[in-house]
Amino acid sequence: MTLPVFLVPALPTGGTAVLDGPEGRHAATVRRLRAGEELVLSDGSGDQARCVVEEAVKDALRLRVVERWTVPEPPVRVVVAQALVKGDRGELAVELATEAGVDGVVPWRASRCVTKWEDGPRGAKALERWRSTAREAAKQARRARVPSVADPVTTSGLASLVSSSAVALVLHESSSQPLGTVPLPTSGDVLLVVGPEGGITDEELSALTAAGAHVVRLGPAVLRASTAAAVALGALGVLTDRWR
């Protein structure tokens, strides 16, 4: 069984550490870790440390560091441009994509999105929910790196990302090209574009293909915007070493 992971701003530099704050409280009072048990501290950017609990106090753990290592960034990063989804389905999309191995998420203000995340407190709060979801899902999946969640982009901004990616794939039911037939790179970013529940407009599709995107079909079924990315990541074999 893999060890539980707790995220910290920075790994301890010495041989001992104290895990306190929300993570320490969760470890001590929810997970009820006790002396002699082990856990992993992670900075969410690849650096990790295996620790043994020396003492459990009310809302914190005193730890002894026994091993350190760094998980390198993969040569191929998979980034999902996820159209904004109404309600908690957006967080579900981020959660599933994180568990499926995504390296980054870009919220897309597509034309047919019901929610728009306008600039201001409400939009900032929605973005923070996505980032918090990615963080918690990465911990659950024992990932060394927490996927980044970028600021939202318009279709113009997304087209720029398409141009700068090693390959860009737009999931669309009108395509006759299967997802698995597009050659994948050995380095750089693979950008996977998921449209809103209302679909990608012809204008958006034209802008993305003009920027160099491939329009592909995932399968015979039409998936929800909140689940399509995770299914596509599985089809690409993101969690295997097949092409990384």
Side-chain angles (χ1 to χ4, degrees), residues 1-169:
M1 183 176 179
T2 57
L3 298 176
V5 174
F6 296 91
L7 291 171
V8 293
L11 293 186
T13 56
T16 61
V18 174
L19 180 63
D20 53 14
E23 292 288 82
R25 188 176 306 112
H26 181 76
T29 63
V30 178
R31 296 297 301 262
R32 300 183 66 82
L33 296 178
R34 293 296 179 259
E37 295 187 87
E38 295 187 339
L39 56 83
V40 172
L41 297 182
S42 173
D43 67 356
S45 298
D47 291 334
Q48 296 189 298
R50 182 169 61 89
C51 303
V52 175
V53 178
E54 296 271 89
E55 182 185 8
V57 294
K58 183 179 179 181
D59 291 326
L61 299 178
R62 301 188 190 280
L63 308 172
R64 175 169 50 88
V65 179
V66 296
E67 182 185 7
R68 302 171 190 271
W69 68 94
T70 298
V71 177
E73 189 169 357
V76 180
R77 296 179 70 254
V78 182
V79 178
V80 169
Q82 174 69 54
L84 303 181
V85 187
K86 184 179 179 181
D88 60 3
R89 287 193 173 274
E91 286 99 285
L92 176 62
V94 174
E95 178 182 24
L96 294 177
T98 299
E99 292 177 358
V102 76
D103 299 297
V105 177
V106 179
W108 175 28
R109 288 170 168 157
S111 183
R112 289 175 176 165
C113 290
V114 175
T115 183
K116 296 297 183 183
W117 284 19
E118 300 298 343
D119 294 334
R122 292 184 65 183
K125 184 179 292 186
L127 178 59
E128 183 52 38
R129 284 199 299 270
W130 279 32
R131 288 174 173 164
S132 176
T133 297
R135 176 183 172 91
E136 293 305 313
K139 286 171 52 180
Q140 171 66 32
R142 312 290 201 266
R143 292 189 55 178
R145 293 178 177 272
V146 176
S148 59
V149 179
D151 291 337
V153 297
T154 62
T155 299
S156 174
L158 181 56
S160 296
L161 290 177
V162 169
S163 298
S164 62
S165 298
V167 68
L169 308 170

Side-chain angles (χ1 to χ4, degrees), residues 159-240:
S160 296
L161 290 177
V162 169
S163 298
S164 62
S165 298
V167 68
L169 308 170
V170 181
L171 301 180
H172 200 274
E173 67 274 10
S174 69
S175 177
S176 59
Q177 182 177 15
L179 173 66
T181 62
V182 179
L184 298 174
T186 57
S187 63
D189 283 0
V190 172
L191 182 65
L192 184 65
V193 180
V194 178
E197 298 285 9
I200 300 173
T201 67
D202 292 340
E203 293 77 13
E204 289 168 336
L205 204 58
S206 295
L208 298 178
T209 55
H214 301 268
V215 182
V216 296
R217 187 180 182 90
L218 185 55
V222 177
L223 301 176
R224 284 189 178 274
S226 54
T227 58
V231 175
L233 289 164
L236 289 172
V238 171
L239 291 180
T240 73

